[in-house]
Amino acid sequence: VPVNATAAYGLGWGISTGTWANGKVLDHTGSNLGNASIAVLAPARGVAFLITTNGYDPAGLQALLGLHGRLVAFHNTGR
């Protein structure tokens, strides 16, 4: 299902493209009152990562998103 001009949503997964991924990026986030997680797949690069926290609070979410950004940057620049 199209979300906007560059992203879609399919069976619970976000579908977009990224230069770091050399194409398609699939991502899924989830949380409950005790944890939060994000899974990211970049099939063309053969890369997948899963980040989880054992807390669902602002600090835990910031850490989750910060690590996500660092992993994407690493795969984009090699450092």
Side-chain angles (χ1 to χ4, degrees):
V1 174
V3 174
N4 59 36
T6 61
Y9 184 78
L11 299 174
W13 288 82
I15 305 166
S16 60
T17 58
T19 55
W20 71 271
N22 293 340
K24 189 180 292 186
V25 177
L26 306 171
D27 66 83
H28 180 77
T29 59
S31 64
N32 61 27
L33 295 177
N35 60 61
S37 63
I38 183 170
V40 179
L41 306 169
R45 290 283 303 265
V47 171
F49 49 88
L50 173 65
I51 309 164
T52 62
T53 66
N54 61 352
Y56 185 73
D57 59 23
L61 294 176
Q62 278 300 105
L64 181 98
L65 295 174
L67 182 53
H68 172 267
R70 290 185 70 182
L71 286 167
V72 167
F74 173 80
H75 287 285
N76 193 37
T77 65
R79 48 189 175 113

